[in-house]
Each structure stands twice: as structure tokens, then as C-alpha cells.
Amino acid sequence: MTIESPLSFSEIIGLSFLTIGLIVVTRLVIYLLKRTWHKTKCKLVWMPIDSVERRSNLSDDEFVKEYAFVGKPVIITDAMKDWTAMTKWIFDFFRSKYGAITVNVKEDSTENQGATTIADYINYRILALEN
């Protein structure tokens, strides 16, 4: 007893390629529609800027909605208030943590170049600031 297939092998292959093609085209159309929707939702507004606002206590949502989505500049005055680096990164920290490392130093306008440790250079700069 033989069972005959209503489709030939080449017809099955052709339908497989057609199905794959439809899936690819559908995904491309969905991608383009999403992209178009996103562009209209997040459209930048280009306008002349007379002044830049200064804001503090600005939440992430406020920043995104009022400034990032529309391309409007803002100065965030308290963005670094909770950063550990503001109190930790002082001369004593770098002197104790990295002071023994030797680095090459070149003054601004001279060709003199020499090697010194970070601790010695920090001490040199502190003395220069005091005088």
C-alpha cells in the first residue's frame, strides 16, 4: 500500500521558502513600524536656546521627559552630591593608595622631563598652591 503525497518535494521546498520569506517580511514590517512609532514619540524639538535651566532634585523620570526626549539642555546642580568620590578622592587618599607609583612628569612649557612618585608630585603641587 502506497500513500501518495498531494505535494511534490519541490512544492514542499517552495512553500517552506515562501513561509520563511513571509516571516522575514512580517518581522521587518513590525521593526519599521516600531521604529517609526519610537521616532514620533521621542521627537526632538530644535529651538533656539536663550538660557539653560538650572535644576536640583531632578528625578530620572523628570529628566527623561522634560529634557532628554526633547533634546533640551539642563544644568543639574546637585548630580554629584552623593558620590563617594567627592569626599574620598582627596590628596591624602591618592598619596596613601598610589603614592609609591613612579610616573614621568613634564612641566607645561619646558622640555624638562623627569620621573617622580605620585606622593612626591602631590607634595610638590600642594607646596606650589600654598605659595
Side-chain angles (χ1 to χ4, degrees):
M1 173 183 235
T2 61
I3 301 175
E4 289 193 28
S5 172
L7 298 174
S8 69
F9 180 73
S10 62
E11 291 172 327
I12 293 172
I13 296 296
L15 286 174
S16 298
F17 277 114
L18 180 64
T19 303
I20 291 170
L22 286 173
I23 291 171
V24 168
V25 167
T26 304
R27 294 190 120 201
L28 179 63
V29 167
I30 290 171
Y31 166 77
L32 291 173
L33 287 173
K34 282 183 177 179
R35 185 172 162 205
T36 302
W37 175 78
H38 185 70
K39 278 186 175 182
T40 58
K41 180 183 169 199
C42 303
K43 189 172 183 176
L44 294 177
V45 177
W46 297 104
M47 59 185 149
I49 299 170
D50 296 329
S51 64
V52 178
E53 284 183 59
R54 291 180 169 272
R55 293 282 306 268
S56 62
N57 298 321
L58 188 63
S59 72
D60 293 340
D61 290 336
E62 286 177 309
F63 172 73
V64 170
K65 287 177 186 173
E66 296 177 27
Y67 301 100
F69 274 168
V70 295
K72 184 178 178 183
V74 62
I75 298 170
I76 303 172
T77 58
D78 59 352
M80 301 185 321
K81 70 179 179 183
D82 296 327
W83 287 8
T84 308
M86 295 300 289
T87 56
K88 184 178 181 180
W89 287 2
I90 58 176
F91 286 135
D92 290 335
F93 168 79
F94 287 105
R95 191 183 295 123
S96 65
K97 185 95 171 157
Y98 305 105
I101 296 174
T102 302
V103 293
N104 290 325
V105 179
K106 180 179 177 183
E107 291 294 328
D108 293 336
S109 61
T110 65
E111 292 298 317
N112 297 336
Q113 195 170 3
T116 187
T117 64
I118 290 178
D120 289 341
Y121 186 74
I122 289 172
N123 293 334
Y124 164 75
R125 293 307 298 171
I126 290 173
L127 285 173
L129 289 173
E130 291 174 353
N131 291 332

